Amino acid sequence: MIHSLFLINCSGDIFLEKHWKSVVSQSVCDYFFEAQEKAADVENVPPVISTPHHYLISIYRDKLFFVSVIQTEVPPLFVIEFLHRVADTFQDYFGSSNVGDTLPTGQLSNIPWRRAGVKYTNNEAYFDVVEEIDAIIDKSGSTVFAEIQGVIDACIKLSGMPDLSLSFMNPRLLDDVSFHPCIRFKRWESERVLSFIPPDGNFRLISYRVSSQNLVAIPVYVKHCISFKENSSCGRFDITIGPKQNMGKTIEGITVTVHMPKVVLNMNLTPTQGSYTFDPVTKVLTWDVGKITPQKLPSLKGLVNLQSGAPKPEENPSLNIQFKIQQLAISGLKVNRLDMYGEKYKPFKGVKYVTKAGKFQVRT
Amino acid sequence: MSSNSFAYSEQSGGGEATELGQEATSTISPSGAFGLFSSDLKKNEDLKQMLESNKDSAKLDAMKRIVGMIAKGKNASELFPAVVKNVASKNIEIKKLVYVYLVRYAEEQQDLALLSISTFQRALKDPNQLIRASALRVLSSIRVPIIVPIMMLAIKEASADLSPYVRKNAAHAIQKLYSLDPEQKEMLIEVIEKLLKDKSTLVAGSVVMAFEEVCPDRIDLIHKNYRKLCNLLVDVEEWGQVVIIHMLTRYARTQFVSPWKEEDGLEDDEKNFYDSDDDQKEKTDKRKKSYTMDPDHRLLIRNTKPLLQSRNAAVVMAVAQLYWHISPKSEVGIISKSLVRLLRSNREVQYIVLQNIATMSIQRKGMFEPYLKSFYVRSTDPTMIKTLKLEILTNLANEANISTLLREFQTYVKSQDKEFAAATIQTIGRCATNISEVTDTCLNGLVCLLSNRDEIVVAESVVVIKKLLQMQPAQHGEIIKHMAKLLDSITVPVARASILWLIGENCERVPKIAPDVLRKMAKGFTSEDDLVKLQILNLGAKLYLTNSKQTKLLTQYILNLGKYDQNYDIRDRTRFIRQLIVPNEKSGALSKYAKKIFLAQKPAPLLESPFKDRDHFQLGTLSHTLNTKATGYLELSNWPEVAPDPSVRNVEVIELYAMNITGSADSESGSASGEQEEEGDSSDDSSEDSSSEHKSDSESASEVGNKRTAKRNSKSKRKRDSEDGENENEKSKTSDSSNADSSSIEESSSDSESESESESESESRKVTKEKENKTKQNINPLTKDVSLLDLDDFNPVSTPVALPTPALSPSLIADLEGLNLSTTSSVITVSTPVFVPVKTHVLLHRMSGKGLAAHYFFPRQPCIFGDKMVSVQITLNNTTDRKIENIHIGGKRLPIGMQMHVFNTIESLEPEGSITVSMGIDFCDSTQTASFQLCTKDDCFNVNIQPPVGELLLPVAMSEKDFKKEQGMLTGMNETSTVIIAAPQNFTPSVILQKVVNVANVGVVPSGQDHIHRFAAKTVHSGSLMLVTVELKEGSTAQLIINTEKTVIGSVLLRELKPVLSQG
């Protein structure tokens, strides 16, 4: 399947290679570099490249390219998924400290995904229900597309072999679910209960999509007025953010990112709240807003300097919005209870809900 | 979790890069002078010295640095002699690193590499299965042709290894040997054939991979294993699943007849039912009675469905392509939801999935139409994703959604990403040709775009309009007139030029406008752009040829202007045109054809999807992505007209055959029963979670006789374990109790496996030596050197290399554990239950049953319908004043795996009448509810039976000695206990007996001690022992202990017993 693997950093150095069959020369990566040059940015490097003797399948993660060399037909997703797992493993291994000196122990256990002989003095099970709103809002403020994607991440520190079942108040909300292998699929099919012997530590229990029939509440609105004057070297920029359908919770961690048109030279803005930066090279405007207080809505106003002589931009830029609402799952999903079987102690249990903006875009 | 990844990305980038590269060096070498190339030579000297050293730590450091060099692509080959010496090192860490080195350089230094071969040969016989496996892995990775025979022999032996993990590695080695020496093909196929019969989920994926690589055309090898593979699939690790699913897709296309034939006509209205529920599906199925699907075909489709929920994108895609290629068209719809889910993933996954959706959406719009909005483009998507989404949107466009889509397209056209904007314009053009209702709207929209400031947009619009007009000659006039008017306002030269070209092409259709346009153009000729000038000349020439009366002078004027133009291209063109159209004495033969030259019919370009021709590639393949046949691509064959003999997959037939010839009937019968068992295995408790395969194993092997002996074996093994442990002590530095525990479990399982194997293979034609080995093990297990599975022993120090990945080893355990389960069925004699008063439960209240009342109770008898079923008696009462007719059980909604034997339909029940009927329900040893409908002639009522845990048991007669022995083997995880506090009068033997048997159907074990009461039972479904002990302590407390493999049931029973026993 995968013949060789090369790791390439952002400055184009091949700093690690691994060959599973015969050794393939580094020069095979030249085809990759060629494709990289052709692509406007890293995001546009095609994941599958055909060369005279090999096929290159690559992924881009954390400023690194993982380039695999393939010789024969293989499902490309197989390779892509595998490379991402490799990247995950590296992240796990190098992420926390520099290099761990020991590999994890107790890997051979009766349950494939759980190490044996787990012991904790404090037995805890935490679940984070994280929902992200993907949305496209059009110019007039109406929703073109909105959908909720959620995950339940778990942090389980329980001794022994606990057998957990997690039930929801409203499991029917979950439209399409993908599971960690520990979950008993049949139990879910029949009872809509997540029954599982958890892996030890952090893991993603499920990811789900909330059925698209449900209307998605959009917690913020943006009033915007962005205009570029014809035959003049300046324009106006004025945006205000306000809460909407926020279920009485505070919206925090708001950030607005705007990719301004190329003709924009600079921006002179005044925020009523938070701070903004404009990068004249990448033309990216970032406004770090913080919290919304309904009494005084945050706004960002000012002038845009355009390259003189250049035609005014055709389109106003889209606003990408990030926000966070604590203690709320926007879909209304609620965990009903968590039961533990198989162990005698009483664990400490906790569920946290967070709603975030996913790919949340406002067209202007 | 997110904060973690954030932290990672913070420190990633350049710094990360070097970190990764130097992990082995910078952190380890104390001198730290690694980066200096000048010291390389000297450096290797000190590496050599370190390797010569007596200290393992120095050697280890040296090896880490060397492996670091390899990883960075530096040449470390000159160290070969120094490194290879350490191949026999006792230190397992050094050994692993030396293996890594050898794999990399053996091919270059073949002679020296041969020195190490004997070490591997020895390691292949190592008692530790992990060492055997890694020796095989390295041996097969050394690409030295001279050792091919040794490799072949090693593979053959490993394929018969007792450890499934080693057999898995044998399957991997097959591919490597095949790529080194294709001559070995025939011999390797024999090994593959043998391994395909393997029952282990661990081996399945790897051997199918080897099959695909070595002999994908030998579909005949699959027949006998087909059902087994289908049933194992869910429990195979995810990478194996992908490979198996792809292979089975090809298999299905050669072995089954097409399920599509009758449906061709239905395809158009597929929208009506692709999303339909089962009922409707059944209806459509009924409609085409002429076709009945092969049950094996159905088996594959059914067993892959749950995998659509996999977290692995490759698995989801594999199932999706399987459905696309082999399932009835009405069932393909279910894949769309899962594929759309994958679009939330990273860009690479999106790219591949979108490509496949693009191909699918050409043929079947309906599938993805409900998800239309999921393909809307965001400004932040990479261009390649944007264009793919656009492609899909175009394919999905129809009369109903086109207006929404066009509005969406308007946004895209204005995108700052001009390449994408241009692609959108192309898209609009395609929509215009496909959907006649909007052709005019699109054309108008495109005409508006002509005034766009961006040249790419304008050029693209003109090109598209040009194409559209060429396709619809009838409507030319109006738009061309409109475009002619636009000439006054449009400034972009490309656009002006294109309009002029259009008018020229169609000058006969707009006879009044064309000359006027030429007049206007002539006026401003000198100030036009060169591009426009050329088109003015062309227009003039065309008009001159068709309408010379009106335009002769104008054209000549223009030609004169052109003659003196500054641009030589224009002067050149002018000369050329003049010669061609204006007849004079010098003009050649060509001028006769001038009209044909200028006004030739130009073919209309085709606007179609670039994905149109991709559908002949199997979806999800590399070839599909590249749209060319990749090396090694296997064509998906067309459905056969007539299905090949389906009986080739019958395992019963094979069983006989195998008995006579190979004697390996065991595996076959195992998979035969697998189909049912798999469902039975609803895996509701922890230990059973492992895999269905084990289950089926247990069935096939469950001549109950084995069970006890196996258990005994495993117990005696435990003793030996400690002896072995002593032997192992030299090797193992660490051993903590928990690991010793787990290893003993593994051990017993691997051993019990050996037993079953030797059993099945006793008649087989095996290499005699092996056979001897096995029989020896069987007869004299105490001296057998069992394979140890003690990872702690194996990896006390870290290195990310040459270790079996944790992902593999745990599943191996699952495997072993399963095997353990499978053979531990012992002679358990079911005794008669202790009499308890009958406890009835309401099944259907007469109020909700419209007068029909039903009660049920558990008679605590072995079920007559099946020995895995719990018998249930239902008493039906008619409380109405008329007959209730036709009482029967309707739709069942059972958790998967659960089975139910229903009572015969009751023709009628008189008023005030009552009748008791028997049923059997296989609860799969779980307290899950069996839901079904109790139906009468007129009504259907939903009812549920939830068994109390105590009814899932059958009492077992057992002596105290046996009890203690069994209890001794069910400790640790399998034991749950609690303390009970109650008044002393409650702790009299009779009270305890009565209370316990009231709750659970257990048998009393005679006890020699007054203060200990023992009860034994087995679970109905799996026959696992359930041992209950009540031990009275001082001061009105008692200890309640339950020992069972079925820990979930055990703990539930414990919870139910506790309050009952402590009650007053």
Side-chain angles (χ1 to χ4, degrees):
Chain A
M1 295 219 143
I2 299 179
H3 199 285
S4 300
L5 173 65
F6 294 97
L7 263 60
I8 301 172
N9 66 13
C10 48
S11 45
D13 306 320
I14 304 169
F15 67 91
L16 202 129
E17 60 182 66
K18 165 79 187 154
H19 307 275
W20 280 276
K21 292 182 179 169
S22 52
V23 177
V24 176
S25 155
Q26 286 193 353
S27 60
V28 76
C29 294
D30 292 348
Y31 293 103
F32 175 79
F33 293 131
E34 211 173 278
Q36 195 184 0
E37 230 161 82
K38 241 185 257 168
D41 55 306
V42 283
E43 289 276 282
N44 272 316
V45 180
V48 182
I49 301 168
S50 178
T51 79
H53 301 290
H54 303 95
Y55 307 100
L56 304 179
I57 299 184
S58 62
I59 64 160
Y60 180 66
R61 275 272 293 263
D62 302 306
K63 296 180 186 161
L64 298 179
F65 280 105
F66 291 66
V67 182
S68 63
V69 182
I70 310 291
Q71 275 188 320
T72 54
E73 172 63 52
V74 63
L77 274 184
F78 184 104
V79 181
I80 288 168
E81 186 81 27
F82 180 79
L83 293 179
H84 276 288
R85 294 286 173 89
V86 171
D88 288 342
T89 310
F90 281 176
Q91 192 163 320
D92 207 37
Y93 191 64
F94 299 111
S96 48
S97 65
N98 245 350
V99 179
D101 211 28
T102 46
L103 279 177
T105 54
Q107 292 302 303
L108 291 191
S109 89
N110 293 326
I111 307 292
W113 51 84
R114 184 176 175 86
R115 67 188 178 94
V118 183
K119 273 207 182 93
Y120 289 102
T121 40
N122 295 321
N123 288 293
E124 308 165 315
Y126 297 111
F127 295 89
D128 287 359
V129 180
V130 184
E131 295 195 336
E132 294 191 350
I133 305 173
D134 287 356
I136 301 175
I137 311 289
D138 78 0
K139 227 178 185 140
S140 59
S142 54
T143 310
V144 177
F145 167 75
E147 163 175 275
I148 301 170
Q149 306 272 355
V151 296
I152 299 183
D153 287 337
C155 174
I156 309 275
K157 294 180 174 173
L158 297 175
S159 315
M161 278 290 165
D163 192 332
L164 304 178
S165 54
L166 184 75
S167 60
F168 300 98
M169 306 278 261
N170 38 12
R172 303 274 158 206
L173 274 177
L174 308 182
D175 184 34
D176 181 35
V177 192
S178 75
F179 300 109
H180 189 276
C182 72
I183 291 172
R184 297 175 179 116
F185 180 70
K186 285 158 189 166
R187 190 85 195 277
W188 171 258
E189 285 284 275
S190 59
E191 294 170 61
R192 300 272 144 177
V193 167
L194 295 175
S195 155
F196 56 99
I197 293 177
D200 184 41
N202 292 311
F203 67 101
R204 174 152 299 173
L205 186 64
I206 59 167
S207 43
Y208 60 88
R209 189 173 57 205
V210 173
S211 64
S212 37
Q213 280 82 10
N214 294 36
L215 281 179
V216 178
I218 304 292
V220 292
Y221 71 87
V222 183
K223 275 203 291 190
H224 51 82
C225 173
I226 303 171
S227 60
F228 304 106
K229 277 182 213 140
E230 194 71 58
N231 304 321
S232 142
S233 61
C234 71
R236 262 182 58 207
F237 186 93
D238 182 352
I239 56 175
T240 308
I241 301 182
K244 183 185 157 190
Q245 297 179 291
N246 60 341
M247 320 282 176
K249 306 270 183 187
T250 322
I251 303 167
E252 52 187 48
I254 302 173
T255 321
V256 181
T257 317
V258 192
H259 289 261
M260 298 302 288
K262 287 195 186 73
V263 291
V264 173
L265 284 182
N266 215 336
M267 302 183 78
N268 275 318
L269 306 170
T270 349
T272 57
Q273 181 184 335
S275 60
Y276 84 96
T277 55
F278 177 74
D279 182 344
V281 181
T282 57
K283 315 285 182 196
V284 175
L285 167 74
T286 314
W287 178 27
D288 191 352
V289 188
K291 257 186 221 174
I292 296 187
T293 34
Q295 291 77 29
K296 192 166 178 292
L297 297 179
S299 69
L300 181 68
K301 271 184 210 177
L303 289 180
V304 184
N305 295 322
L306 302 178
Q307 208 175 311
S308 55
K312 78 163 192 145
E314 286 287 330
E315 188 203 25
N316 285 339
S318 298
L319 316 174
N320 294 298
I321 303 187
Q322 286 298 317
F323 56 80
K324 208 175 182 179
I325 307 170
Q326 302 283 5
Q327 301 306 323
L328 174 74
I330 197 83
S331 70
L333 185 76
K334 272 227 155 62
V335 171
N336 182 24
R337 53 184 295 141
L338 175 74
D339 295 307
M340 186 181 77
Y341 306 100
E343 292 292 335
K344 279 160 278 181
Y345 54 82
K346 276 244 150 62
F348 188 81
K349 301 179 272 194
V351 181
K352 203 170 85 184
Y353 298 91
V354 186
T355 296
K356 290 179 186 172
K359 297 172 179 169
F360 197 99
Q361 201 160 75
V362 179
R363 292 175 179 166
T364 62
Chain B
M1 214 168 256
S2 57
S3 67
N4 191 1
S5 70
F6 181 68
Y8 172 70
S9 57
E10 283 262 287
Q11 58 159 283
S12 65
E16 178 69 26
T18 41
E19 222 170 78
L20 282 172
Q22 294 185 344
E23 57 95 348
T25 53
S26 59
T27 50
I28 290 148
S29 71
S31 58
F34 190 64
L36 300 174
F37 60 91
S38 56
S39 64
D40 256 15
L41 262 182
K42 210 175 155 196
K43 198 165 174 54
N44 287 349
E45 271 319 305
D46 75 68
L47 281 173
K48 276 180 198 163
Q49 272 172 18
M50 286 164 84
L51 286 170
E52 302 281 329
S53 134
N54 292 327
K55 273 193 243 157
D56 275 0
S57 60
K59 286 184 181 177
L60 199 56
D61 281 352
M63 281 315 299
K64 281 184 180 174
R65 280 168 55 188
I66 293 168
V67 171
M69 286 166 72
I70 295 175
K72 291 180 108 182
K74 296 196 173 173
N75 188 1
S77 61
E78 64 151 6
L79 291 160
F80 200 98
V83 173
V84 79
K85 268 183 230 163
N86 289 299
V87 73
S89 169
K90 285 272 187 296
N91 183 315
I92 201 95
E93 288 304 311
I94 296 177
K95 206 175 195 142
K96 279 187 288 190
L97 295 180
V98 173
Y99 284 2
V100 174
Y101 184 90
L102 275 175
V103 169
R104 171 67 180 80
Y105 285 112
E107 198 173 3
E108 291 175 22
Q109 313 228 0
Q110 307 209 348
D111 290 343
L112 281 170
L114 291 179
L115 295 176
S116 60
I117 301 299
S118 64
T119 321
F120 296 123
Q121 285 178 301
R122 224 175 305 133
L124 284 169
K125 302 257 187 301
D126 196 281
N128 184 329
Q129 57 173 334
L130 293 180
I131 294 181
R132 292 202 298 281
S134 77
L136 181 63
R137 189 160 57 214
V138 181
L139 189 67
S140 56
S141 303
I142 294 178
R143 300 177 52 81
V144 180
I146 213 166
I147 63 160
V148 164
I150 299 176
M151 277 165 72
M152 193 65 226
L153 199 66
I155 289 173
K156 271 189 181 165
E157 279 186 20
S159 69
D161 199 284
L162 302 184
S163 150
Y165 180 61
V166 177
R167 298 201 297 276
K168 182 189 185 71
N169 275 277
H172 293 159
I174 290 172
Q175 301 165 53
K176 292 180 190 164
L177 179 54
Y178 180 65
S179 77
L180 180 63
D181 183 9
E183 301 266 293
Q184 304 294 318
K185 186 170 176 176
E186 286 314 310
M187 297 239 271
L188 288 173
I189 292 177
E190 276 173 36
V191 183
I192 289 173
E193 193 174 0
K194 185 162 85 185
L195 284 174
L196 275 172
K197 289 182 188 143
D198 205 298
K199 290 170 283 177
S200 165
T201 48
L202 206 56
V203 183
S206 304
V207 67
V208 171
M209 185 69 226
F211 170 85
E212 290 282 82
E213 196 118 312
V214 179
C215 52
D217 47 335
R218 287 291 303 275
I219 220 93
D220 56 299
L221 298 180
I222 302 301
H223 293 321
K224 298 158 249 163
N225 302 298
Y226 173 82
R227 289 176 195 163
K228 181 191 70 186
L229 285 173
C230 288
N231 286 319
L232 286 189
L233 194 57
V234 195
D235 297 302
V236 174
E237 33 81 36
E238 33 196 8
W239 312 111
Q241 285 171 347
V242 178
V243 177
I244 296 175
I245 293 171
H246 274 271
M247 188 275 288
L248 290 179
T249 310
R250 278 195 306 120
Y251 179 86
R253 284 288 283 258
T254 61
Q255 299 300 317
F256 306 125
V257 286
S258 167
W260 304 336
K261 275 175 193 152
E262 306 265 325
E263 282 172 307
D264 287 343
L266 292 169
E267 245 211 296
D268 291 338
D269 55 3
E270 88 213 357
K271 267 177 266 169
N272 300 333
F273 64 81
Y274 80 91
D275 222 2
S276 64
D277 51 17
D278 291 353
D279 292 355
Q280 263 174 315
K281 249 179 230 163
E282 270 165 32
K283 268 183 223 156
T284 46
D285 281 348
K286 271 178 206 155
R287 231 188 290 157
K288 3 175 225 279
K289 265 184 188 144
S290 54
Y291 166 77
T292 38
M293 188 183 267
D294 188 312
D296 287 329
H297 190 171
R298 174 52 68 198
L299 176 74
L300 177 59
I301 293 172
R302 190 179 62 222
N303 283 11
T304 45
K305 192 180 165 198
L307 297 179
L308 281 173
Q309 236 104 24
S310 171
R311 61 169 175 176
N312 187 319
V315 176
V316 177
M317 189 67 231
V319 180
Q321 66 83 27
L322 179 130
Y323 266 76
W324 179 258
H325 290 296
I326 73 160
S327 86
K329 300 229 153 149
S330 58
E331 291 169 41
V332 180
I334 62 160
I335 65 174
S336 13
K337 196 192 262 183
S338 307
L339 287 178
V340 170
R341 182 184 74 228
L342 297 184
L343 298 181
R344 271 284 286 187
S345 192
N346 44 63
R347 75 175 179 111
E348 295 89 4
V349 172
Q350 279 187 47
Y351 176 72
I352 305 290
V353 173
L354 285 172
Q355 276 189 331
N356 284 289
I357 292 179
T359 302
M360 290 189 220
S361 59
I362 292 174
Q363 287 181 43
R364 312 200 49 196
K365 290 184 181 197
M367 262 177 78
F368 291 98
E369 220 190 305
Y371 303 98
L372 186 73
K373 289 188 171 178
S374 301
F375 302 107
Y376 278 11
V377 173
R378 291 156 203 283
S379 59
T380 41
D381 287 332
T383 309
M384 60 177 182
I385 300 294
K386 283 181 188 164
T387 31
L388 279 169
K389 282 185 173 174
L390 202 56
E391 173 62 34
I392 293 167
L393 288 175
T394 320
N395 293 339
L396 295 183
N398 59 24
E399 288 85 355
N401 59 26
I402 186 67
S403 53
T404 330
L405 274 180
L406 283 179
R407 213 171 310 135
E408 185 69 14
F409 288 158
Q410 275 173 22
T411 322
Y412 301 166
V413 166
K414 285 188 266 171
S415 164
Q416 291 173 33
D417 184 343
K418 290 304 165 196
E419 198 185 321
F420 171 58
T424 308
I425 293 164
Q426 294 271 12
T427 295
I428 296 174
R430 262 174 63 198
C431 290
T433 50
N434 295 342
I435 303 162
S436 51
E437 281 91 336
V438 293
T439 312
D440 292 341
T441 328
C442 291
L443 261 178
N444 287 340
L446 289 170
V447 169
C448 294
L449 286 177
L450 289 175
S451 51
N452 195 295
R453 198 175 278 112
D454 194 274
E455 289 211 351
I456 302 174
V457 173
V458 174
E460 208 67 47
S461 306
V462 170
V463 171
V464 173
I465 292 175
K466 212 165 72 183
K467 286 175 183 171
L468 284 178
L469 292 186
Q470 271 180 282
M471 272 178 273
Q472 297 171 314
Q475 296 171 11
H476 282 187
E478 277 310 300
I479 291 155
I480 293 170
K481 273 181 213 162
H482 180 72
M483 287 177 74
K485 277 182 209 152
L486 281 174
L487 266 181
D488 296 339
S489 54
I490 286 179
T491 53
V492 182
V494 198
R496 292 177 74 82
S498 302
I499 295 170
L500 288 175
W501 182 87
L502 256 179
I503 294 173
E505 275 301 288
N506 299 289
C507 55
E508 280 171 302
R509 288 195 180 81
V510 280
K512 285 186 186 156
I513 292 172
D516 199 45
V517 169
L518 187 67
R519 180 184 61 80
K520 277 189 189 167
M521 290 294 113
K523 234 172 162 181
F525 184 84
T526 45
S527 56
E528 290 289 351
D529 187 272
D530 291 345
L531 253 182
V532 185
K533 282 178 183 167
L534 285 175
Q535 286 308 327
I536 296 174
L537 286 169
N538 279 348
L539 175 65
K542 285 171 189 167
L543 281 175
Y544 185 94
L545 290 171
T546 53
N547 186 4
S548 60
K549 225 190 233 170
Q550 274 184 299
T551 57
K552 194 173 180 182
L553 285 173
L554 259 176
T555 309
Q556 274 175 349
Y557 171 67
I558 291 166
L559 288 175
N560 282 335
L561 286 176
K563 193 175 176 181
Y564 300 106
D565 198 89
Q566 283 184 322
N567 186 299
Y568 52 79
D569 268 345
I570 291 168
R571 295 199 299 272
D572 205 33
R573 176 72 62 89
T574 311
R575 265 194 296 279
F576 162 70
I577 288 176
R578 190 189 291 274
Q579 287 299 317
L580 210 53
I581 60 169
V582 185
N584 59 13
E585 68 283 359
K586 271 189 250 168
S587 67
L590 270 181
S591 55
K592 271 187 273 178
Y593 303 106
K595 196 165 181 178
K596 276 189 178 154
I597 292 170
F598 279 103
L599 291 166
Q601 193 69 43
K602 283 132 192 132
L606 268 178
L607 296 181
E608 58 178 15
S609 166
F611 283 81
K612 203 163 180 77
D613 54 345
R614 283 198 191 193
D615 56 350
H616 60 269
F617 290 113
Q618 188 177 356
L619 290 183
T621 59
L622 183 62
S623 303
H624 175 267
T625 294
L626 296 168
N627 200 15
T628 51
K629 211 167 171 176
T631 329
Y633 173 74
L634 299 165
E635 208 78 54
L636 207 55
S637 70
N638 283 324
W639 296 102
E641 286 294 317
V642 183
D645 181 14
S647 67
V648 288
R649 288 181 295 275
N650 278 358
V651 274
E652 283 81 9
V653 177
I654 302 306
E655 192 172 12
L656 281 173
Y657 171 80
M659 286 260 226
N660 296 336
I661 302 187
T662 67
S664 59
D666 211 341
S667 69
E668 303 305 335
S669 64
S671 58
S673 55
E675 188 176 345
Q676 292 177 338
E677 300 318 322
E678 208 251 344
E679 289 175 18
D681 183 60
S682 77
S683 64
D684 212 55
D685 74 27
S686 56
S687 62
E688 207 190 338
D689 219 69
S690 46
S691 90
S692 64
E693 183 227 359
H694 315 318
K695 202 61 187 263
S696 60
D697 266 13
S698 79
E699 300 328 320
S700 67
S702 70
E703 280 152 86
V704 200
N706 301 338
K707 210 170 186 177
R708 181 166 289 178
T709 43
K711 282 203 169 182
R712 252 185 227 132
N713 269 349
S714 67
K715 198 182 175 188
S716 56
K717 211 102 331 129
R718 185 173 291 237
K719 282 182 208 142
R720 266 182 297 112
D721 183 32
S722 55
E723 288 165 27
D724 275 345
E726 281 160 35
N727 299 339
E728 292 290 316
N729 265 349
E730 293 163 29
K731 276 185 204 163
S732 63
K733 287 174 188 166
T734 58
S735 64
D736 68 330
S737 60
S738 65
N739 268 294
D741 217 346
S742 71
S743 79
S744 76
I745 292 170
E746 267 101 73
E747 209 196 328
S748 65
S749 59
S750 68
D751 192 63
S752 54
E753 181 214 17
S754 78
E755 196 179 28
S756 68
E757 285 225 347
S758 56
E759 202 175 38
S760 66
E761 283 158 5
S762 52
E763 288 159 286
S764 70
R765 306 176 295 171
K766 284 256 148 126
V767 185
T768 29
K769 202 171 93 190
E770 281 171 38
K771 199 167 152 187
E772 274 167 16
N773 262 344
K774 263 172 214 142
T775 31
K776 205 170 103 197
Q777 286 158 14
N778 227 12
I779 296 162
N780 196 357
L782 280 167
T783 57
K784 189 203 145 205
D785 199 7
V786 285
S787 52
L788 272 182
L789 227 187
D790 192 347
L791 193 65
D792 258 20
D793 176 51
F794 198 67
N795 60 344
V797 191
S798 92
T799 29
V801 282
L803 253 189
T805 59
L808 285 183
S809 35
S811 54
L812 154 71
I813 293 314
D815 233 86
L816 295 175
E817 190 205 24
L819 290 165
N820 180 20
L821 276 177
S822 69
T823 35
T824 49
S825 54
S826 67
V827 201
I828 303 174
T829 39
V830 176
S831 62
T832 46
V834 182
F835 175 78
V836 285
V838 169
K839 225 188 285 173
T840 59
H841 312 263
V842 177
L843 184 64
L844 180 65
H845 192 269
R846 65 182 167 86
M847 298 306 282
S848 45
K850 297 187 183 168
L852 177 71
H855 298 267
Y856 67 95
F857 69 95
F858 297 94
R860 294 197 170 180
Q861 286 158 353
C863 184
I864 50 169
F865 303 115
D867 50 5
K868 290 185 176 186
M869 292 186 172
V870 175
S871 60
V872 182
Q873 300 217 330
I874 297 183
T875 309
L876 298 157
N877 285 302
N878 183 355
T879 61
T880 60
D881 46 8
R882 56 198 160 72
K883 266 192 199 174
I884 299 180
E885 290 180 338
N886 192 21
I887 304 174
H888 64 280
I889 287 185
K892 291 178 266 186
R893 278 207 358 263
L894 303 177
I896 297 167
M898 222 183 246
Q899 288 179 359
M900 192 161 152
H901 188 282
V902 302
F903 57 82
N904 292 333
T905 304
I906 298 163
E907 294 297 339
S908 71
L909 189 59
E910 297 296 327
E912 303 302 320
S914 148
I915 189 168
T916 300
V917 289
S918 294
M919 289 177 52
I921 304 177
D922 179 359
F923 287 104
C924 303
D925 289 352
S926 79
T927 52
Q928 290 189 76
T929 309
S931 308
F932 54 92
Q933 285 181 323
L934 191 60
C935 302
T936 64
K937 203 176 87 184
D938 311 309
D939 293 295
C940 277
F941 309 104
N942 289 321
V943 293
N944 302 315
I945 294 183
Q946 190 178 22
V949 64
E951 304 297 343
L952 297 173
L953 305 174
L954 281 176
V956 165
M958 206 180 244
S959 71
E960 190 177 352
K961 203 174 125 200
D962 283 340
F963 186 96
K964 282 181 181 164
K965 194 190 290 166
E966 297 290 353
Q967 193 178 27
M969 280 181 290
L970 291 167
T971 52
M973 221 186 90
N974 294 326
E975 179 172 298
T976 49
S977 68
T978 186
V979 174
I980 302 161
I981 301 166
Q985 69 268 20
N986 284 333
F987 283 153
T988 60
S990 61
V991 173
I992 289 175
L993 168 70
Q994 199 204 338
K995 283 184 169 173
V996 172
V997 297
N998 261 335
V999 172
N1001 189 13
V1002 292
V1004 184
V1005 176
S1007 171
Q1009 295 134 297
D1010 282 344
H1011 66 287
I1012 300 181
H1013 303 277
R1014 298 190 176 90
F1015 306 91
K1018 66 166 191 172
T1019 60
V1020 175
H1021 179 84
S1022 65
S1024 312
L1025 275 179
M1026 176 78 65
L1027 307 175
V1028 181
T1029 314
V1030 181
E1031 189 174 354
L1032 303 181
K1033 297 272 169 71
E1034 283 169 27
S1036 68
T1037 61
Q1039 177 92 12
L1040 172 64
I1041 306 164
I1042 293 182
N1043 300 79
T1044 181
E1045 275 171 4
K1046 301 275 172 183
T1047 48
V1048 171
I1049 303 202
S1051 56
V1052 176
L1053 183 61
L1054 189 84
R1055 269 191 302 163
E1056 292 197 359
L1057 276 173
K1058 187 178 175 181
V1060 174
L1061 287 172
S1062 42
Q1063 260 167 28

